[in-house]
């Protein structure tokens, strides 16, 4: 294996973690909204971030996924998508909520 140093390696590593950074940015926005007492929208964003992760897992090649690729491709897509839809469904259907 040839090791690459300098600018090229740094940009390749940034490219590998861009998809994960996008998913985590959406999660951070959701958590911030939950702390600001907009729990339904924040929870929906967290569920949406899982759907984004499922879409990225389906569309991007393995070398650009970094920490999104945990298991086999189909398993990741089904679990991320299913959990994301479940979180969005629960956030949309719960009546009342924290501090109501």
């Amino acid at each position: 294996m040839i090791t690459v140093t300098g600018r090229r390696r740094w940009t390749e590593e940034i490219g590998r973690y861009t998809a994960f950074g996008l998913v985590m940015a959406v999660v951070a926005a959701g958590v911030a909204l939950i702390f600001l007492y907009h729990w339904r929208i924040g929870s929906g964003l967290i569920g949406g971030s899982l759907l984004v992760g499922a879409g990225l897992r389906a569309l991007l090649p393995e070398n650009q996924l970094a920490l999104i690729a945990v298991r086999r491709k189909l398993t990741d897509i089904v679990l991320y998508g299913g959990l994301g839809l479940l979180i969005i469904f629960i956030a949309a259907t719960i009546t009342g909520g924290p501090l109501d």
Side-chain angles (χ1 to χ4, degrees), residues 42-54:
S43 298
L45 270 178
I46 292 172
S49 72
L50 286 167
L51 294 178
V52 168

Side-chain angles (χ1 to χ4, degrees), residues 35-94:
F35 280 126
L36 294 172
Y37 300 106
H38 299 289
W39 63 271
R40 189 181 307 264
I41 298 169
S43 298
L45 270 178
I46 292 172
S49 72
L50 286 167
L51 294 178
V52 168
L56 291 172
R57 181 69 169 110
L59 297 175
L60 292 178
E62 292 286 328
N63 63 347
Q64 292 182 349
L65 291 172
L67 298 172
I68 292 178
V70 178
R71 294 161 293 268
R72 291 181 309 152
K73 188 173 191 171
L74 181 62
T75 305
D76 280 341
I77 293 169
V78 169
L79 290 177
Y80 291 157
L83 187 57
L85 289 173
L86 182 65
I87 290 172
I88 290 171
F89 174 76
I90 290 171
T93 58
I94 289 179

